[in-house]
Amino acid sequence: MAKTKILLIEDDKSLARLIKGAMDQTKFEITVALEADEGIDKAMMEKPAIIILDVLLPAKSGFACLREIKSNSKIKKIPVIILSNLGQAEEIRKALELGAADYIVKADFSIDEIIKKILKYLK
Amino acid sequence: MVYVIIFHMVNGKRFEEIKSDFITIASHQLRTPIAGIRWSLDTLLSDKAGKISDKQREIIGEAYQNNNFLVKAVNDLLRAARLEEKGVVLTPALVNIVPIIKEVIRKNKTFADAYNCRIELKLPTRPVKVYADSLQIKPVIESLVDNAIRYSKDKCLVEVSLKMVKDYLLIAVKDSGIGIPPSQQSQVFTRFFRANNAIKTQTEGLGLDLYINKKIIDASGGRITFSSIENKGTTFYVYLPLNSKVADKNKISERQQADSEAENLLKKEREFVSITIHELKAPLGATKWSLEMLRGGKSGKLNNDQLELVDQIYRGNERLLVLVRDLLDLAKLQAGEFDVNSQPLELKVILNDVVTAFKAEAQRKKIAVNLPAAEKLALKITGDSNRITQVITNLVSNAVKYTPVSGQVTIGVKKVTSEELKKIATQTRTANIRHLASRKGYLILSVKDTGVGISDEEQKKLFTRFFRGKNVLKSKTEGTGLGLYITKTIVNLHQGDIWFTSKLGKGSIFYISLPLAS
């Protein structure tokens, strides 16, 4: 069976490694992008089943990235979950308005809980 | 409130699309290492990096609890700060509350398991719509469930039930916990309230969440009450309006609210600082011990993957300690409570201490830290020994941090008259020297590195709060972006100045001037 592709746009390498390590490698293929543009390129190429997107990224913010994803007809149907440590009501609202499927504040969840949330969108 | 005092200074500044006021930045800065620590602890506990012993599990479990407290503390601080800065800003709509409550219960499952606690949910079968801001109501329910578990005894039962009461939905959260002593029940919703019996159980808490909850529920046109019997348990009742008409009728006017609190707020500002210091430092200190125990190996040997995770947690914890220290310094500065305890100081002693502290780090990066000849160091200044050490430590720390492997960090000292200092001020573009009045002349201490240097654009913002290379919100590693701001403020408080010269790719030299004592 082909592995489910997941794209993780996250510039913090150690956090990306922790998420990757906690997921079942036999079922999922996790690609990491360190920047928004790299993430959009990889999304176009790999057509992942889901995109996990950080907000504070080096060159372009996650919000700008989300906007581009949602206005690109080739990838706009892929669900995007925001995974950030920003998390005021206004940021959450903004992300949802831009078309995010969910908004997860990193520090609020254990790694298993985050993975459960991700899996929910893959069903 | 720390965050509020400081907020006014940065109010209105925006980077890109992300609001970067103090609260947002501070909470993001705190949460980043907290999340890293949490996930690393998760990975250790899951045995994915290798099987751990029972003793190790116990130690890691303690670190986990401390981390859990930090998450809650930062969230509460943030919510409280937002509230006091802007009041309650609500975007209500008709929402189905059932899925929200279900999600809250799911989220608290791990926590409940850890306390051997069962959560029972009594829901009506059909959807229940209330007129409220779901994003604001969710944390209210979350904190009530969290408290119900936290203040319960082992093998407890928490019941969450929903019921229609006239124009309202009543959400009841019932626990079988320690209860609230009758004499203190009238204070439950005041800021920083912590019941005597809760303090005794050593359950950590800031005493902010019920205060926040009440504000949000009141502003939503609802009501929050409770009934409690000591040693039997407490039930919190949240009434939420079913439609906008009911909501509007009940809203307490903003004016009314503002009046009753203005006084309360002033009184508590100082208190807030000390509470924050205590509450955030203690769990960080405790975590440090836990990690040192794990590293020590008495609880079992760690493999390389596990050691790497422990090191990662350790670094995150150290970063939080620095961040908390800097944020507290900043809060004190803003509140005018920053103490400078002046006395004659020997430069030699301070410099030796600083250089010794960086020996290991410098050796690791093969950086030579050069001190001036001993006879040049026989200078006396007047100042606060801790603060001056902090200033020089910060400059040397930056120099070591931004200098690549095999580089050089050189500390220099020079004695100048006021006239000579004035001349330097006019000759150096980047030097804004304002303190020139010392009759005994000045010490100029310089810290030169062979690091990356500072770009023209960055130079302008170097001493502003939260500055760190480009945009602080974009860089997540190292530093708090508060160091140079605090350094400048301390130097200024000592009637001295700080300036620098820098060449991109070549390195920077930072200078401080301090009045000489003799």
Side-chain angles (χ1 to χ4, degrees):
Chain A
M1 211 176 75
K3 289 184 187 178
T4 308
K5 285 183 179 171
I6 295 173
L7 173 62
L8 181 59
I9 309 177
E10 165 68 75
D11 65 329
D12 187 328
K13 287 179 197 159
S14 61
L15 288 189
R17 200 165 53 227
L18 287 169
I19 297 179
K20 221 172 155 171
M23 293 201 82
D24 187 349
Q25 307 287 328
T26 61
K27 288 186 189 151
F28 303 101
E29 184 187 323
I30 301 132
T31 308
V32 179
L34 300 172
E35 279 187 47
D37 286 340
E38 184 193 345
I40 292 168
D41 289 348
K42 285 189 170 161
M44 298 273 284
M45 236 156 38
E46 313 240 334
K47 298 276 160 54
I50 197 163
I51 299 171
I52 319 293
L53 176 63
D54 190 7
V55 173
L56 298 175
L57 294 162
K60 193 185 277 176
S61 84
F63 288 144
C65 180
L66 178 59
R67 199 176 287 125
E68 280 183 41
I69 292 171
K70 290 299 163 189
S71 57
N72 182 331
S73 60
K74 288 188 180 119
I75 49 174
K76 72 175 178 195
K77 290 218 171 106
I78 304 172
V80 179
I81 298 181
I82 301 284
L83 183 63
S84 171
N85 267 323
L86 291 171
Q88 290 298 305
E90 48 261 55
E91 285 131 21
I92 298 177
R93 206 163 274 136
K94 180 170 182 178
L96 297 178
E97 273 167 22
L98 286 173
D102 207 339
Y103 194 114
I104 305 175
V105 176
K106 286 174 188 167
D108 279 355
F109 292 93
S110 75
I111 209 157
D112 282 345
E113 288 162 338
I114 288 170
I115 287 163
K116 265 185 213 153
K117 271 179 169 268
I118 297 170
L119 295 181
K120 207 174 79 186
Y121 289 93
L122 288 174
K123 277 178 190 158
Chain B
M1 165 67 68
V2 181
Y3 293 90
V4 176
I5 309 162
I6 300 145
F7 177 81
H8 298 299
M9 312 287 292
V10 284
N11 197 357
K13 269 193 205 163
R14 274 159 198 263
F15 292 111
E16 282 186 42
E17 304 176 76
I18 297 147
K19 280 189 81 261
S20 58
D21 53 69
F22 182 84
I23 300 162
T24 308
I25 298 175
S27 69
H28 182 269
Q29 299 270 65
L30 286 164
R31 273 174 175 165
T32 300
I34 289 174
I37 291 171
R38 180 168 197 168
W39 296 2
S40 300
L41 291 169
D42 280 338
T43 310
L44 282 172
L45 285 171
S46 73
D47 287 334
K48 276 191 176 124
K51 191 129 184 55
I52 52 171
S53 71
D54 288 349
K55 184 74 196 143
Q56 285 169 330
R57 192 170 299 278
E58 195 184 307
I59 299 169
I60 298 168
E62 270 164 35
Y64 206 93
Q65 273 190 13
N66 280 314
N67 183 262
N68 185 302
F69 169 72
L70 287 174
V71 172
K72 191 167 148 42
V74 171
N75 285 345
D76 284 352
L77 283 174
L78 236 165
R79 286 210 298 155
R82 265 297 133 95
L83 208 87
E84 280 169 14
E85 175 238 318
K86 285 185 180 166
V88 186
V89 184
L90 296 172
T91 314
L94 272 180
V95 285
N96 182 4
I97 196 91
V98 177
I100 295 170
I101 291 182
K102 279 188 178 162
E103 204 196 321
V104 168
I105 309 278
R106 249 200 320 273
K107 195 172 157 185
N108 272 292
K109 180 83 175 52
T110 328
F111 184 51
D113 287 348
Y115 276 73
N116 238 325
C117 205
R118 198 158 55 84
I119 308 177
E120 207 165 87
L121 192 55
K122 287 182 186 160
L123 291 175
T125 41
R126 58 197 172 78
V128 185
K129 289 203 169 165
V130 292
Y131 185 76
D133 183 336
S134 57
L135 286 177
Q136 301 279 7
I137 295 296
K138 199 170 142 193
V140 172
I141 313 286
E142 229 164 66
S143 79
L144 291 178
V145 173
D146 182 288
N147 278 341
I149 301 167
R150 206 175 284 269
Y151 295 108
S152 280
K153 296 157 200 151
D154 204 34
K155 293 193 184 115
C156 65
L157 174 69
V158 172
E159 281 176 62
V160 182
S161 59
L162 267 59
K163 203 166 91 184
M164 297 291 189
V165 180
K166 275 201 221 161
D167 294 334
Y168 299 89
L169 168 74
L170 167 63
I171 305 168
V173 181
K174 184 181 176 198
D175 67 46
S176 49
I178 57 172
I180 304 158
S183 61
Q184 291 189 295
Q185 291 192 359
S186 62
Q187 302 158 46
V188 164
F189 294 109
T190 52
R191 193 162 63 160
F192 300 121
F193 169 75
R194 298 217 57 216
N196 289 334
N197 58 344
I199 294 166
K200 273 190 215 136
T201 60
Q202 304 224 316
T203 317
E204 285 159 320
L206 289 180
L208 282 174
D209 48 5
L210 288 172
Y211 160 79
I212 302 166
N213 289 346
K214 180 159 168 53
K215 294 224 151 187
I216 289 172
I217 300 300
D218 283 350
S220 303
R223 201 150 41 96
I224 179 167
T225 60
F226 67 93
S227 64
S228 182
I229 301 170
E230 211 174 344
N231 291 321
K232 292 264 181 201
T234 307
T235 308
F236 275 90
Y237 305 96
V238 176
Y239 295 85
L240 291 175
L242 294 177
N243 56 56
S244 61
K245 233 172 104 183
V246 179
D248 291 341
K249 195 178 72 191
N250 285 306
K251 265 181 215 163
I252 297 172
S253 81
E254 302 254 326
R255 173 87 211 149
Q256 222 176 316
Q257 225 174 335
D259 282 350
S260 68
E261 266 146 42
E263 201 188 341
N264 191 14
L265 211 124
L266 278 171
K267 255 192 270 172
K268 296 266 184 168
E269 249 164 35
R270 268 162 195 273
E271 203 180 324
F272 186 85
V273 176
S274 62
I275 289 169
T276 321
I277 295 172
H278 183 75
E279 299 291 345
L280 293 182
K281 273 190 180 164
L284 292 173
T287 305
K288 197 168 173 160
W289 288 346
S290 299
L291 297 169
E292 277 160 5
M293 274 167 79
L294 285 173
R295 271 178 169 174
K298 274 191 190 149
S299 54
K301 211 171 162 351
L302 296 167
N303 68 28
N304 283 344
D305 287 350
Q306 289 169 326
L307 266 178
E308 200 185 310
L309 285 166
V310 171
D311 283 348
Q312 213 165 301
I313 299 167
Y314 196 91
R315 282 196 299 272
N317 201 60
E318 289 293 300
R319 193 171 155 213
L320 283 171
L321 278 165
V322 174
L323 189 53
V324 165
R325 188 205 63 200
D326 282 0
L327 287 172
L328 289 167
D329 273 355
L330 188 56
K332 277 191 211 153
L333 282 171
Q334 300 293 339
E337 286 175 2
F338 203 82
D339 307 322
V340 173
N341 184 11
S342 274
Q343 59 193 52
L345 301 174
E346 285 197 46
L347 189 62
K348 196 168 136 189
V349 179
I350 294 179
L351 277 178
N352 279 333
D353 283 353
V354 173
V355 172
T356 310
F358 282 97
K359 216 169 176 177
E361 175 67 8
Q363 264 170 6
R364 198 177 61 78
K365 285 182 81 178
K366 297 196 180 62
I367 291 171
V369 180
N370 311 311
L371 265 180
E375 66 267 18
K376 281 191 127 182
L377 293 177
L379 289 170
K380 273 201 180 128
I381 50 172
T382 308
D384 182 315
S385 138
N386 288 332
R387 294 304 179 189
I388 294 294
T389 307
Q390 187 181 347
V391 164
I392 301 174
T393 300
N394 192 25
L395 295 179
V396 175
S397 159
N398 279 344
V400 172
K401 198 189 296 171
Y402 295 112
T403 296
V405 175
S406 305
Q408 300 264 339
V409 171
T410 308
I411 299 169
V413 290
K414 202 169 144 186
K415 200 175 154 179
V416 294
T417 62
S418 296
E419 287 306 310
E420 286 166 328
L421 188 61
K422 208 178 275 174
K423 215 167 157 190
I424 294 172
T426 51
Q427 282 168 353
T428 318
R429 184 177 56 90
T430 44
N432 179 15
I433 299 171
R434 289 176 298 134
H435 299 92
L436 295 157
S438 166
R439 287 203 194 128
K440 288 169 183 158
Y442 287 83
L443 154 79
I444 297 181
L445 182 128
S446 60
V447 180
K448 183 182 174 198
D449 64 51
T450 54
V452 290
I454 308 156
S455 72
D456 282 353
E457 196 200 332
E458 288 172 2
Q459 290 190 7
K460 286 180 207 139
K461 293 184 249 166
L462 205 57
F463 294 109
T464 53
R465 197 183 1 245
F466 285 126
F467 171 77
R468 245 167 70 219
K470 297 193 173 169
N471 184 344
V472 60
L473 274 179
K474 286 181 187 165
S475 46
K476 295 180 193 168
T477 45
E478 294 183 55
T480 61
L482 289 170
L484 279 177
Y485 172 81
I486 293 170
T487 302
K488 180 180 192 298
T489 314
I490 297 173
V491 172
N492 290 160
L493 281 171
H494 281 86
Q495 309 303 312
D497 287 289
I498 180 166
W499 68 99
F500 63 92
T501 55
S502 183
K503 263 201 183 128
L504 213 55
K506 298 257 182 210
S508 311
I509 311 174
F510 278 85
Y511 302 89
I512 53 170
S513 61
L514 290 168
L516 282 166
S518 56

